[in-house]
Amino acid sequence: MGTLAGKTALVTGASRGIGREVARRLAREGALVAIHYGGNEEAAKETVDLIERQGGRAFSLGAELGVPGDVETLYARFEAGLAGLGQGPEFDILVNNAAVSGSARISEVTPELFDRLFAINTRALFFLVQRGLKCLCDGGRVINISSAATRIAYPESIVYSMTKGALNTFTLALAKELGGRGITVNAVSPGFVETDMNASKRASPEAAAELAAWSVFGRLGQPADIADIVAFLASDASRWITGQCIDASGGSRF
């Protein structure tokens, strides 16, 4: 029996990268995991297959974020998936991982880029939580994936950094709002992690080495490094932790 046996989790953006590893980790602890994806259905199915081959339970659901009706579409498909397994709409863990990046300095930012990043990384996340609170069980968990770019100046992705700064503020306020229900709300802030999102930044061995040098450990983060922290925050062992933004950057730029 894992630490999350009998729990149900929804992980957004779980078809690849950090989201996929988080979903796999929660499933290994016994949770039924809903794998949300924005457009890559095949990758989401691969995540489900990986989980099931390890004896876990999962199902996938697609919903594009940052468009009209995104939240209701996502929850309608989430609840339909649960109903197909004979379960009600209640769930225990919400991991807000879905996000898009947009490398651009201030002189390069367009209104379209600005609006898209805030629509997906901030607005959609806010209303996903708002709607989810109707069915999130008392004593549940909200875990937001933020970024070390809120602590380390990174002008190369100024708008992305701003969206994650808003997420940290949201985390703090929501933790106080939901304390009476016993729901903890925390954020995890990775540094550079070896995922598809930043593949272009490590296109050469020299570029990869430069990114690795940010960490005191001299390596890039791995999705499992982040997933282990999320699994802890999802468990009862983290019950006395809320409103925190946990740095998960491997000591980057201390």
Side-chain angles (χ1 to χ4, degrees), residues 2-237:
T3 60
L4 302 177
K7 303 290 186 181
T8 299
L10 168 60
V11 182
T12 66
S15 62
R16 297 178 298 167
I18 291 173
R20 170 181 282 185
E21 196 60 35
V22 166
R24 294 179 66 191
R25 185 70 172 79
L26 299 183
R28 285 201 299 273
E29 291 297 333
L32 166 64
V33 185
I35 309 297
H36 161 262
Y37 65 93
N40 195 334
E41 181 178 6
E42 187 60 34
K45 288 181 178 178
E46 289 175 6
T47 303
V48 172
D49 288 344
L50 286 168
I51 288 171
E52 291 180 341
R53 286 204 297 268
Q54 294 178 329
R57 296 192 302 152
F59 65 93
S60 63
L61 60 115
E64 182 181 358
L65 300 181
V67 298
D70 52 359
V71 171
E72 288 307 319
T73 297
L74 187 151
Y75 278 106
R77 293 173 180 173
F78 174 51
E79 291 171 7
L82 291 176
L85 296 171
Q87 296 194 197
E90 300 80 17
F91 68 110
D92 307 278
I93 301 157
L94 173 59
V95 181
N96 291 301
N97 172 71
V100 292
S101 62
S103 296
R105 292 179 177 272
I106 188 168
S107 61
E108 302 165 329
V109 174
T110 63
E112 292 76 18
L113 177 66
F114 187 98
D115 290 347
R116 179 170 182 266
L117 264 62
F118 268 92
I120 296 173
N121 297 2
T122 308
R123 186 182 188 277
L125 182 149
F126 181 97
F127 288 104
L128 277 170
V129 173
Q130 183 192 67
R131 169 64 175 78
L133 290 177
K134 296 179 181 180
C135 297
L136 188 67
C137 297
D138 290 354
R141 302 285 187 265
V142 177
I143 303 164
N144 301 319
I145 305 302
S146 183
S147 171
T150 60
R151 174 180 63 81
I152 304 167
Y154 196 62
E156 295 88 340
S157 294
I158 188 168
V159 179
Y160 176 80
S161 302
M162 291 169 65
T163 66
K164 295 300 187 177
L167 174 59
N168 288 0
T169 300
F170 176 60
T171 298
L172 182 63
L174 191 66
K176 187 168 186 178
E177 177 80 10
L178 300 182
R181 291 180 56 186
I183 296 171
T184 67
V185 185
N186 292 288
V188 179
S189 299
F192 284 114
V193 179
E194 196 169 345
T195 65
D196 293 345
M197 181 178 281
N198 60 36
S200 63
K201 296 185 177 69
R202 48 184 172 82
S204 68
E206 295 77 15
E210 184 177 346
L211 296 184
W214 283 48
S215 165
V216 298
F217 300 119
R219 68 169 177 86
L220 289 168
Q222 297 298 314
D225 295 327
I226 312 306
D228 286 348
I229 298 169
V230 173
F232 165 70
L233 291 174
S235 74
D236 186 61

